[in-house]
Amino acid sequence: MSGLLWFVILYWVISVGIGLYAARLVKSSGDFALAGRSLPMAVVTATVFATWFGSETVLGISSTFVKEGLSGVVSDPFGSSMCLILVGLFFARPLYRMNLLTIGDYYKKKYGRTVEVLVTLCIVVSYLGWVAAQIKALGLVFNVVSGGAISMETGMVIGALSVLVYTLMGGMWSVAITDFLQMIIIVIGMLYIGWEISGMVGGASKVVAHAHAAGKLEFWPKATPRELLWFVAAWITMMLGSIPQQDVFQRVSSSANEKIAGRASVLGGVMYFCFAFIPMFLAYSATLIDPKMVAGLIDRDPQLILPTLIMNHVPLLAQVMFFGALLSAIKSCASATLLAPSVMFSENILRGIFPKQTDRQFLFMMRMVVLVFTTIVTLFALNTQASIFKMVENAYKITLVAAFVPLAFGLYWKPATRQGALAAILMGFFSWVGMELLAPNGTWPPQLVGVLASLGGMLIGSLLPQWVAHHAPRGEPLLEAAAKSSNPERNPL
């Protein structure tokens, strides 16, 4: 067994042990879901950064950049980092003041039970692809570091079970503490391997110059309607579609106060944007170091370019640093995205069905949902062929078209009503699905049509009933008059 594999095993055991140790702090459902709303600035920043710096950042974004250039990664990291900054500036503080357990509780408080259930289902489904991407990445790592001795499928199962263990027991406390330690490993590991690779290629400027000459640094689209529309759609998919997500809400709501909630989200977003370029630099460096390897993988499986470069061209210490950072990135993201939908489904779906529960019973139910959700996403990961980048990018389309408009307008537009929220959800969702079925690659991106329809639904659904009520006969609302005319007892004539 290689020294690298022994390191991976040791690191895995230690990190799971730390997560289990943190589980001792869980005394209630509030501790499990939000770490008692007591986390300091450094820990909240770390968990924001570490949650987003996952497999798609190291493997997905980097391989997409090598193949498509900057124009291919507009959604992540450009859109995703802007999401965290927008959350910190406009959403963290007002949501924190509401003292909610989940983002679904906001929809219930603002719009009622029906909207709560619909949005919760959309958000929970959106996590399926995101978590599956992390499970798939764990399988890839175990396969690579074992030299093929551990298959991708076996690696997925091992990774999912180990992350499940401490997430199931420690909830947000385990996630927060392990994220803090893993952020340190990510930062140190990425900086070290970047320095190592830079020395091999003759400096970062040489890599940048090569990428520029190859057209990989072209960011803005061609000035045609279709290119512009798809560019905007790619940007807002993660920038706006990620805002109404439980994992983002959990981090800001776990803060000790609202100032930390806002500032930590902004700082985490800035850190994420800066460090996301390191994997892109590393992967593109492979085109200079081993162009034959890149040519062989670019169309077959570009996600293997970066780990193959590390395994074949750097010393053991650099391998240890890279895979330590990669495992930290994947584990922090996987644990967070397992916990978030499980807590939300328990609070906003099951609690309404089983209202008479003690806090201890509710805590047990949340843990069981974590177990069930982990099983479902592992099976999904084992049976999908989609790339890690696409799985994560597609996850946010449903929340963009169904959840963002009701959240933003509910906070910042006083006329927003329950009817407007329902119209926004239904019009956004069904227009998006219809476009995906009828014209998935047409001039108009399906998710852009969906969010515009959602916006229209909110405006029409909120303003039309108010306009009708305003123009009803004076002294008698229109609906009441209609009811009288259809009721013989109230209208004997």
Side-chain angles (χ1 to χ4, degrees), residues 81-92 239-240 243 265-266:
S81 56
M82 275 303 301
C83 162
L84 295 174
I85 294 170
L86 290 174
V87 167
L89 293 176
F90 301 107
F91 295 89
M239 182 174 69
L240 303 182
I243 291 176
S265 183
V266 172

Side-chain angles (χ1 to χ4, degrees), residues 258-465:
E258 66 177 68
K259 289 184 179 179
I260 291 175
R263 293 171 182 174
S265 183
V266 172
L267 181 56
V270 172
M271 286 184 61
Y272 175 77
F273 181 77
C274 295
F275 276 87
F277 283 91
I278 296 179
M280 286 191 271
F281 166 78
L282 297 175
Y284 194 79
S285 296
T287 61
L288 282 73
I289 297 171
D290 194 346
K292 185 176 180 181
M293 179 269 290
V294 173
L297 291 174
I298 192 69
D299 293 317
R300 180 167 59 88
D301 193 351
Q303 294 168 151
L304 288 173
I305 291 174
L306 183 50
T308 302
L309 171 72
I310 300 301
M311 289 295 292
N312 294 341
H313 294 281
V314 300
L316 179 60
L317 178 60
Q319 293 177 8
V320 167
M321 296 297 288
F322 173 79
F323 283 103
L326 177 57
L327 286 171
S328 295
I330 297 171
K331 284 175 79 277
S332 60
C333 192
S335 59
T337 50
L338 283 176
L339 180 65
S342 302
V343 168
M344 194 172 182
F345 189 81
S346 301
E347 165 71 6
N348 301 112
I349 301 295
L350 296 181
R351 196 164 206 170
I353 300 173
F354 306 104
K356 296 180 180 180
Q357 294 184 88
T358 64
D359 188 73
R360 187 170 183 176
Q361 290 172 329
F362 183 58
L363 176 59
F364 176 79
M365 183 173 69
M366 283 195 289
R367 284 173 166 156
M368 291 302 99
V369 175
V370 171
L371 175 61
V372 172
F373 190 74
T374 304
T375 303
I376 293 172
V377 296
T378 303
L379 291 173
F380 179 72
L382 288 167
N383 291 281
T384 184
Q385 300 300 317
S387 71
I388 291 171
F389 184 81
K390 286 299 179 185
M391 289 171 73
V392 172
E393 184 181 36
N394 291 336
Y396 299 106
K397 291 180 180 179
I398 187 171
T399 47
L400 172 67
V401 303
F404 172 72
V405 169
L407 173 63
F409 275 66
L411 287 174
Y412 289 104
W413 193 55
K414 288 184 179 180
T417 64
R418 175 178 174 273
Q419 294 94 330
L422 285 170
I425 295 167
L426 296 176
M427 290 177 64
F429 179 81
F430 285 108
S431 61
W432 166 61
V433 171
M435 288 294 291
E436 288 284 4
L437 294 175
L438 299 176
N441 299 305
T443 301
W444 282 85
Q447 70 267 37
L448 184 57
V449 173
V451 74
L452 291 175
S454 180
L455 176 61
M458 172 59 76
L459 296 175
I460 295 171
S462 296
L463 296 178
L464 183 60

